[in-house]
Amino acid sequence: MRILIVEDEPQLARHVRAALIRHGHAAEVEADGVRALQVAVRDQPDLVLLDINLPSMDGFEVLARLRQAKCAAMVLMLTARGEVSDRIKGLKSGADDYLAKPFAIDELIARVATLARRGGAPLSGSSLHLDDLHLNVPQRHVIRGGRTLALSPREFDLLQVMMQEPGRVFARTELRDRVWQGEPDFDVRIIDMFITRLRKKIDADSERALIHTVRNVGYTLRLPS
């Protein structure tokens, strides 16, 4: 699923985003209520994880305006408020579920999966496509040009991150943080090695290279110019 995380606690937002990506979802973060509303209306995500205590506009107001704008995204309220009255207010305003902080990340993932089934959205991102490259996220299955490719778990995770945003240039440090989760003493040159391995498996037998190096910046997955 495409998920917008609206949370102004940076550490929590990073933790939630990383967990969702590990489970195959495309997840982005907004910390400001007004900005989050604009992004949600524009991008129409499948699910919004919405905190109540936000700068500029609180979560209840964001939710009300989302529904006024006919945004069909499911909404899971995330908040430190555990009172029944707040829970009822959120649900009456159009929220699909409610999870009080602090919460276990496994419970959040389970709630997201339940909402995906309820809303008919594809679980775990379902599949990603670019040209003749196809990625089945739940089955961790990769095909290019009709050929099944054997990728290691890290190769698959690296490819998935890049396929979620084709055309975007990823710095090595971001790929490290999203795939290796900021492992201590990590040498970012290891990413170069993994990119080389992916190129050999994905691009070697194709006329169209999909993995490209942007000098002094990083890597991107796109069709050739």
Side-chain angles (χ1 to χ4, degrees):
M1 286 201 299
R2 295 176 302 113
I3 300 174
L4 175 63
I5 304 163
V6 188
E7 172 58 64
D8 65 339
E9 297 180 34
Q11 186 174 359
L12 176 60
R14 286 194 300 269
H15 184 46
V16 169
R17 182 173 183 266
L20 290 169
I21 289 173
R22 284 198 303 272
H23 284 79
H25 302 287
E28 295 301 331
V29 175
E30 288 293 341
D32 177 84
V34 171
R35 174 63 182 163
L37 176 63
Q38 294 170 345
V39 171
V41 171
R42 182 194 68 201
D43 295 347
Q44 295 290 312
D46 300 307
L47 174 65
V48 178
L49 303 185
L50 181 60
D51 188 27
I52 289 181
N53 297 313
L54 295 167
S56 302
M57 181 185 297
D58 72 23
F60 289 131
E61 183 66 19
V62 172
L63 175 59
R65 296 198 184 191
L66 279 176
R67 295 316 186 211
Q68 290 171 4
K70 307 300 182 184
C71 179
M74 295 176 289
V75 175
L76 172 59
M77 303 292 285
L78 298 177
T79 178
R81 299 181 185 177
E83 291 85 356
V84 173
S85 58
D86 287 323
R87 191 176 312 170
I88 292 173
K89 182 178 179 180
L91 295 173
K92 282 187 174 181
S93 299
D96 296 275
D97 201 357
Y98 190 107
L99 187 59
K101 300 176 184 176
F103 52 82
I105 201 68
D106 288 345
E107 182 179 3
L108 172 64
I109 296 301
R111 295 285 188 96
V112 168
T114 298
L115 288 172
R117 288 192 294 270
R118 183 191 307 172
L123 274 174
S124 301
S126 187
S127 59
L128 300 169
H129 308 275
L130 179 64
D131 194 40
D132 59 348
L133 177 63
H134 304 277
L135 196 73
N136 185 307
V137 175
Q139 297 180 16
R140 299 182 71 83
H141 189 67
V142 183
I143 295 176
R144 173 126 203 232
R147 296 183 301 112
T148 297
L149 307 179
L151 303 187
S152 71
R154 289 294 198 198
E155 290 168 353
F156 184 95
D157 293 342
L158 182 59
L159 179 62
Q160 180 185 341
V161 166
M162 297 175 71
M163 283 192 73
Q164 285 173 340
E165 299 179 75
R168 178 183 167 190
V169 180
F170 291 89
R172 291 171 177 84
T173 51
E174 181 176 2
L175 291 173
R176 174 201 63 196
D177 292 341
R178 293 180 64 171
V179 178
W180 281 266
Q181 303 298 313
E183 291 181 7
D185 303 320
F186 182 87
D187 187 343
V188 294
R189 289 175 296 182
I190 292 175
I191 293 172
D192 300 333
M193 179 192 71
F194 273 86
I195 291 291
T196 298
R197 284 163 49 174
L198 277 176
R199 277 197 173 112
K200 289 179 180 177
K201 295 180 178 182
I202 292 171
D203 289 339
D205 297 323
S206 176
E207 296 178 355
R208 298 180 301 280
L210 297 180
I211 300 175
H212 303 271
T213 302
V214 179
R215 189 175 178 83
N216 297 325
V217 182
Y219 298 104
T220 183
L221 192 75
R222 59 170 173 79
L223 287 169
S225 303

Coordinates of all heavy atoms in Angstrom, one line a residue, residues 23 25 28 45 48 54 88 101-102 105-106 117 126 162 203 214 222:
H23 N 7.9 -4.3 5.3 CA 6.8 -5.1 5.0 C 6.2 -4.9 3.6 O 5.1 -5.3 3.3 CB 5.7 -5.0 6.1 CG 6.0 -5.7 7.4 ND1 6.9 -5.1 8.3 CD2 5.6 -6.9 7.9 CE1 7.0 -6.0 9.3 NE2 6.3 -7.0 9.1
H25 N 5.5 -1.9 2.0 CA 4.7 -0.8 1.7 C 5.6 0.4 1.2 O 6.7 0.5 1.5 CB 3.9 -0.4 2.9 CG 3.0 -1.4 3.5 ND1 1.8 -1.8 2.8 CD2 3.1 -2.2 4.6 CE1 1.3 -2.8 3.5 NE2 2.0 -3.0 4.6
E28 N 5.8 7.5 3.2 CA 6.4 8.8 3.3 C 5.9 9.5 4.6 O 4.8 9.1 5.1 CB 6.1 9.6 2.1 CG 6.7 9.0 0.8 CD 8.2 8.9 0.8 OE1 8.8 9.7 1.5 OE2 8.7 8.0 0.2
P45 N -3.2 8.7 -1.1 CA -2.6 7.5 -0.6 C -3.7 6.4 -0.3 O -4.9 6.8 -0.2 CB -1.8 7.9 0.6 CG -2.5 9.1 1.1 CD -3.0 9.8 -0.1
V48 N -3.7 6.7 5.5 CA -3.0 7.8 6.3 C -2.9 7.4 7.7 O -3.9 7.0 8.4 CB -3.8 9.1 6.1 CG1 -3.1 10.2 7.0 CG2 -3.9 9.5 4.7
L54 N -0.5 17.8 16.2 CA 0.3 18.2 15.1 C 0.5 19.7 15.0 O -0.4 20.5 15.4 CB -0.3 17.8 13.7 CG -0.4 16.3 13.5 CD1 -1.3 16.0 12.3 CD2 1.0 15.6 13.3
I88 N -13.8 7.9 20.1 CA -15.1 8.0 19.5 C -15.1 9.2 18.6 O -15.7 9.1 17.4 CB -16.2 8.2 20.6 CG1 -16.3 6.8 21.4 CG2 -17.5 8.5 20.0 CD1 -17.3 6.9 22.6
K101 N -0.8 5.6 21.6 CA 0.6 5.4 21.9 C 0.7 5.2 23.4 O -0.1 5.7 24.2 CB 1.4 6.7 21.6 CG 1.3 7.1 20.1 CD 2.0 8.5 19.9 CE 1.9 9.0 18.5 NZ 2.5 10.3 18.4
P102 N 1.8 4.5 23.8 CA 2.8 3.8 23.0 C 2.2 2.5 22.5 O 1.4 1.9 23.1 CB 4.0 3.6 23.9 CG 3.3 3.4 25.3 CD 2.1 4.4 25.3
I105 N 5.2 -2.1 17.5 CA 5.2 -2.0 16.0 C 4.5 -3.1 15.3 O 3.9 -3.0 14.3 CB 6.7 -1.8 15.5 CG1 6.7 -1.1 14.1 CG2 7.4 -3.1 15.5 CD1 6.2 0.3 14.1
D106 N 4.6 -4.3 15.9 CA 3.9 -5.5 15.4 C 2.4 -5.3 15.3 O 1.7 -5.7 14.4 CB 4.3 -6.7 16.1 CG 5.7 -7.2 15.9 OD1 6.3 -6.7 14.9 OD2 6.2 -8.0 16.7
R117 N -6.9 -5.4 3.9 CA -7.9 -6.4 3.5 C -9.3 -5.8 3.5 O -10.1 -6.1 2.5 CB -7.9 -7.6 4.5 CG -6.6 -8.5 4.3 CD -6.8 -9.8 5.1 NE -6.8 -9.5 6.5 CZ -5.8 -9.5 7.4 NH1 -4.6 -9.7 6.8 NH2 -5.9 -9.3 8.7
S126 N 1.9 -5.5 -3.0 CA 1.6 -6.4 -4.1 C 2.7 -6.5 -5.1 O 3.6 -7.3 -4.9 CB 0.3 -5.9 -4.8 OG -0.1 -6.8 -5.7
M162 N 14.3 1.1 -4.6 CA 14.5 1.9 -5.8 C 13.3 1.8 -6.7 O 12.9 2.8 -7.4 CB 15.8 1.4 -6.5 CG 17.0 1.6 -5.7 SD 18.5 1.0 -6.4 CE 18.7 2.2 -7.8
D203 N 20.4 -6.3 -15.6 CA 20.7 -5.6 -16.9 C 21.6 -6.3 -17.9 O 21.6 -6.0 -19.1 CB 21.3 -4.2 -16.6 CG 20.4 -3.2 -16.0 OD1 19.1 -3.4 -16.1 OD2 20.8 -2.2 -15.3
V214 N 24.4 8.1 -11.0 CA 24.5 9.6 -11.1 C 25.8 10.0 -10.4 O 25.9 9.9 -9.2 CB 23.3 10.3 -10.5 CG1 23.4 11.8 -10.7 CG2 22.0 9.8 -11.2
R222 N 15.6 3.6 -13.7 CA 14.7 4.3 -14.6 C 15.0 3.7 -16.0 O 16.0 3.0 -16.3 CB 15.0 5.8 -14.7 CG 16.4 6.2 -15.0 CD 16.6 7.6 -15.2 NE 18.0 8.0 -15.4 CZ 18.7 7.9 -16.4 NH1 18.2 7.3 -17.5 NH2 20.0 8.3 -16.5

